[in-house]
Amino acid sequence: MASAPQQKIALVVGGSNGIGRAIAAKLTAANVVTYIAGRNLAKCQGVAQELGLGGVFEVDVASQESVHRLVRAVQERLTRVDILVLSAGANVDARSTTADGVELQFAVTHLWRFQLTAAAAAGGLLAPGARVLSVSGSSGVDLGLVDFADPMLARPNAWSFFKAQGQAHKLNDVLCIQAQRRWGADANIQFHAAYPGQVASNSDGSIEGPLLVQILNRVTSPIKLKPEASAAQLVPILLEPLGAEGGKLWSVSQFGDTVTELKVPAKVADDDYGKKCWDLSNSFINEKWK
Ligand SMILES: NC(=O)c1ccc[n+]([C@@H]2O[C@H](COP(=O)([O-])OP(=O)(O)OC[C@H]3O[C@@H](n4cnc5c(N)ncnc54)[C@H](OP(=O)(O)O)[C@@H]3O)[C@@H](O)[C@H]2O)c1
């Protein structure tokens, strides 16, 4: 008698709110044993109870030590991860640095994704056939190039929210393409990055950002998607043949109901540029937490 197919196991980092939470709900409804990780353990536990999740993990993505501990904890508690969703993020309204000395927007938008992706893929946490989705990509244009001379935007007047977010999104796109080249074929892991659309998910104000962003958020609110609508377009990348081949960038449709594959911008596709970006990201991870 043929045995029943094994249930897939998913980890959604940033699953306590917004798009990550909606993805966790949809994965659970699709019979995937889903765990979430977040900075507020009590909130995560409440979400887990409400959605019937497999469990929760604690992580502060602004801390490299915390991300390192998350990888260890997942390795100890889960046999494998088939689906990894990277959704945690926040908009900051002024330049500051983390305890690791990294510019905060760079840390919470990009660097934890780099650290976790590299540790999970290289450390055997991801099962063969696993899919990784970073919910934070650019919308497929070659804007927001990386400031290699001053990536922490530390020079006087160098920092702006848009510059900080722009280069972090660019690095997330590059991470997807470079990770696919490193682990796609050999480890059979498929990497994706998606722009989730304009989504009304900042229910608790955690993604407010600078005044201009707040104003833009309010102006665009009538056309904003609900997190569930964004998640409905993203989940097929994780479960259906659509996402079987990685190294792809996607954009959620603001007015339709199907996610669109984006053309990979020339800079993001360029291997020399990609390796330079990879080395840059890697240089900001403390050896202790790799
Ligand atoms: N919403 C949009 O229109 C939009 C557009 C482009 C890109 N994005 C990106 O899409 C992703 C999801 O956004 P969203 O709209 O779902 O935002 P959200 O509703 O504010 O949810 C963000 C999630 O990240 C978690 N988080 C924030 N800082 C964290 C930290 N230091 N450590 C651990 N977890 C942390 C939050 O935890 P708490 O529950 O504890 O707050 C929450 O679970 C973000 O990366 C965002 O930048 C969103």
Side-chain angles (χ1 to χ4, degrees):
M1 199 173 72
S3 59
Q6 239 185 351
Q7 269 185 301
K8 286 191 170 141
I9 299 176
L11 173 66
V12 181
V13 184
S16 57
N17 209 62
I19 303 160
R21 178 190 159 120
I23 290 175
K26 289 195 187 302
L27 289 174
T28 303
N31 199 29
V32 176
V33 182
T34 304
Y35 294 75
I36 59 171
R39 60 184 163 182
N40 180 337
L41 204 53
K43 184 173 177 182
C44 288
Q45 281 160 345
V47 171
Q49 203 164 19
E50 198 183 318
L51 301 181
L53 303 181
V56 303
F57 292 89
E58 190 169 13
V59 66
D60 173 3
V61 299
S63 157
Q64 294 180 21
E65 180 177 1
S66 181
V67 173
H68 179 81
R69 286 185 193 283
L70 171 67
V71 174
R72 286 282 169 85
V74 174
Q75 270 162 341
E76 277 165 23
R77 277 175 55 195
L78 306 184
T79 49
R80 64 182 198 285
V81 173
D82 302 294
I83 293 172
L84 175 62
V85 179
L86 311 173
S87 191
N91 293 348
V92 307
D93 54 11
R95 188 181 185 282
S96 65
T97 50
T98 67
D100 300 299
V102 177
E103 188 273 314
L104 181 60
Q105 193 69 73
F106 188 95
V108 299
T109 302
H110 169 64
L111 200 57
W112 75 270
R113 287 180 163 85
F114 178 88
Q115 185 187 0
L116 185 51
T117 299
L125 184 66
L126 296 169
R131 298 188 193 179
V132 179
L133 173 64
S134 173
V135 183
S136 167
S138 69
S139 38
V141 286
D142 250 341
L143 295 173
L145 291 178
V146 179
D147 188 342
F148 288 100
D150 184 22
M152 296 293 101
L153 306 176
R155 286 186 189 148
N157 302 318
W159 192 93
S160 78
F161 165 76
F162 293 103
K163 196 165 178 195
Q165 270 289 34
Q167 73 168 1
H169 282 150
K170 180 63 56 188
L171 286 165
N172 287 342
D173 289 353
V174 169
L175 171 61
C176 168
I177 303 301
Q178 285 293 316
Q180 186 69 25
R181 287 179 190 160
R182 278 161 204 252
W183 293 293
D186 288 354
N188 185 15
I189 303 168
Q190 308 306 320
F191 298 87
H192 298 272
Y195 169 71
Q198 279 298 307
V199 181
S201 52
N202 52 329
S203 52
D204 62 354
S206 64
I207 198 164
E208 286 286 14
L211 185 61
L212 181 56
V213 175
Q214 292 181 36
I215 293 168
L216 282 173
N217 270 334
R218 293 207 169 88
V219 170
T220 55
S221 66
I223 59 149
K224 279 196 169 175
L225 293 169
K226 289 201 161 42
E228 293 72 22
S230 179
Q233 294 189 38
L234 294 171
V235 165
I237 299 169
L238 298 167
L239 296 180
E240 294 179 15
L242 186 70
E245 191 185 316
K248 294 193 171 172
L249 308 182
W250 303 88
S251 180
V252 162
S253 167
Q254 201 69 30
F255 302 106
D257 54 14
T258 313
V259 72
T260 306
E261 185 182 340
L262 298 168
K263 185 174 180 308
V264 179
K267 273 287 184 202
V268 176
D270 182 278
D271 211 40
D272 289 336
Y273 185 80
K275 284 178 175 149
K276 199 172 162 188
C277 289
W278 187 278
D279 290 345
L280 178 85
S281 301
N282 199 34
S283 73
F284 287 107
I285 308 286
N286 189 314
E287 285 301 323
K288 265 199 315 194
W289 311 127
K290 278 182 182 168

